[in-house]
């Protein structure tokens, strides 16, 4: 059965000045020249750059997304942005429930679900992040934690083509550590089963990303794991060559599959 197009998403976090729009132009040109040819490629810069970044990618295959949003459309929420504002600025995706936001701002599963609903209702795509801490994994609770996060944060009846789940073990983010391929495979198999249960109409088409210290040196093996439909890339997305090397792992796969 044909799999949905993989997604390689860069999360710039709180990095990026106006001068760094040149990086977005460089990724845009690489993507439009066929780099990452088999994957959809997305960059989520800080909110301050979205308007300018979205203008730069008009007519390009490169997409621009936000890193979080609130569920309300507007209101007295100092410092926050809504999904409607992200869309208005030109974003087509939003990352929700990243572990850094869950940890720093106490974002709950219910808040993540409400935010996902607001983004999906506006026609945007939502990337919902889940993942266990080191202590939870060592206590044998990784799947129960991830299962609870999925149950609490995935909206009922989403459009499966616009829902993305990113499995990001908290202990692998920015540390250079990654789970074994077997552990990634087991968790993605578990997530697929849960998503098929939570989203009976099309759960098998929801893209499942792996995130956590993906680098050019380990991208090909991580992205080749069953039920890994792409990656959420933090640190390595700040370097155009590294990011495109990661996105580029899909070129050969797709060509090979097409010519098989
Ligand atoms: C992330 O923050 O989503 C992430 C995966 O970061 P890194 O690639 O730096 O581990």
């Amino acid at each position: 059965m044909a799999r949905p197009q993989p997604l390689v998403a860069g999360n710039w976090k709180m990095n990026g000045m106006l001068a760094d729009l040149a990086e977005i132009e460089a990724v845009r040109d690489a993507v439009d020249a066929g780099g990452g040819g088999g994957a959809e490629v997305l960059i989520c810069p800080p909110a301050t750059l979205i308007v300018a970044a979205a203008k730069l990618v008009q007519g390009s295959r490169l997409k621009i997304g936000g890193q979080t949003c609130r569920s309300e459309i507007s209101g007295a929420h100092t410092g926050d942005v809504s999904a409607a504002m992200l869309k208005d600025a030109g974003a087509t995706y939003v990352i929700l429930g990243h572990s850094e936001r869950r940890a720093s701002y106490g974002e709950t599963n219910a808040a993540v679900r409400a935010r996902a609903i607001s983004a999906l209702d506006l026609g945007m795509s939502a990337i919902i992040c889940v993942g266990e801490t080191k202590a939870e994994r060592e206590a044998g609770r990784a799947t129960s934690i991830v299962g609870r996060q999925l149950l609490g944060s995935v909206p009922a009846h989403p459009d499966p083509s616009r829902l993305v789940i990113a499995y990001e073990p908290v202990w692998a983010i920015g540390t250079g550590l990654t789970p074994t391929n077997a552990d990634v495979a087991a968790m993605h198999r578990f997530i697929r089963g849960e998503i098929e249960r939570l989203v009976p109409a099309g759960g098998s088409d929801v893209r499942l990303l792996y995130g956590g210290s993906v680098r050019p040196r380990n991208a090909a093996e991580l992205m080749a794991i069953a039920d890994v439909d792409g990656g959420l890339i933090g640190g390595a997305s700040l370097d155009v060559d590294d990011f495109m090397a990661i996105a580029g792992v899909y070129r050969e796969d797709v060509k090979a599959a097409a010519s098989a």
Side-chain angles (χ1 to χ4, degrees):
M1 204 175 61
R3 296 293 310 141
Q5 185 184 25
L7 172 66
V8 177
N11 173 14
W12 279 17
K13 311 192 186 192
M14 199 175 73
N15 298 290
M17 300 293 186
L18 285 172
D20 299 306
L21 290 169
E23 306 275 314
I24 291 188
E25 286 180 292
V27 173
R28 175 200 64 195
D29 293 345
V31 167
D32 289 340
E40 186 175 16
V41 183
L42 165 72
I43 291 185
C44 300
T48 49
L49 296 185
I50 289 177
V51 170
K55 283 201 180 109
L56 287 176
V57 305
Q58 268 171 12
S60 160
R61 293 175 47 229
L62 178 63
K63 309 274 172 51
I64 297 297
Q67 297 177 11
T68 187
C69 70
R70 277 189 80 99
S71 54
E72 299 84 352
I73 285 178
S74 61
H77 304 291
T78 303
D80 286 338
V81 294
S82 65
M85 289 167 171
L86 292 178
K87 182 177 175 178
D88 189 49
T92 51
Y93 275 82
V94 60
I95 299 171
L96 294 168
H98 190 283
S99 65
E100 288 157 12
R101 297 217 45 103
R102 289 182 188 259
S104 299
Y105 298 98
E107 285 183 10
T108 61
N109 291 327
V112 173
R113 174 193 268 147
R115 291 161 190 218
I117 290 170
S118 72
L120 292 168
D121 281 354
L122 287 165
M124 298 176 71
S125 297
I127 302 176
I128 296 180
C129 302
V130 296
E132 82 287 354
T133 63
K134 188 81 181 156
E136 288 161 348
R137 175 158 284 271
E138 284 171 356
R141 297 174 55 224
T143 48
S144 66
I145 292 292
V146 168
R148 200 179 314 153
Q149 289 171 333
L150 291 169
L151 187 64
S153 24
V154 172
H157 316 299
D159 175 345
S161 70
R162 290 189 290 108
L163 175 67
V164 181
I165 305 295
Y167 168 55
E168 300 207 300
V170 178
W171 51 272
I173 295 178
T175 58
L177 303 172
T178 49
T180 64
N181 291 349
D183 283 345
V184 173
M187 184 58 88
H188 276 247
R189 199 177 318 119
F190 168 75
I191 294 174
R192 177 67 68 205
E194 293 300 287
I195 287 295
E196 284 176 348
R197 202 169 53 77
L198 292 168
V199 186
S204 54
D205 288 336
V206 170
R207 289 175 292 179
L208 308 185
L209 311 187
Y210 168 78
S213 295
V214 179
R215 307 279 184 264
R217 65 177 157 72
N218 60 16
E221 57 178 302
L222 285 165
M223 301 299 139
I225 295 170
D227 279 316
V228 173
D229 304 312
L232 181 52
I233 320 297
S237 72
L238 298 173
D239 181 289
V240 176
D241 291 339
D242 283 358
F243 186 56
M244 288 314 302
I246 294 167
V249 305
Y250 284 104
R251 293 200 67 187
E252 297 312 318
D253 290 354
V254 166
K255 280 185 194 154
S259 57

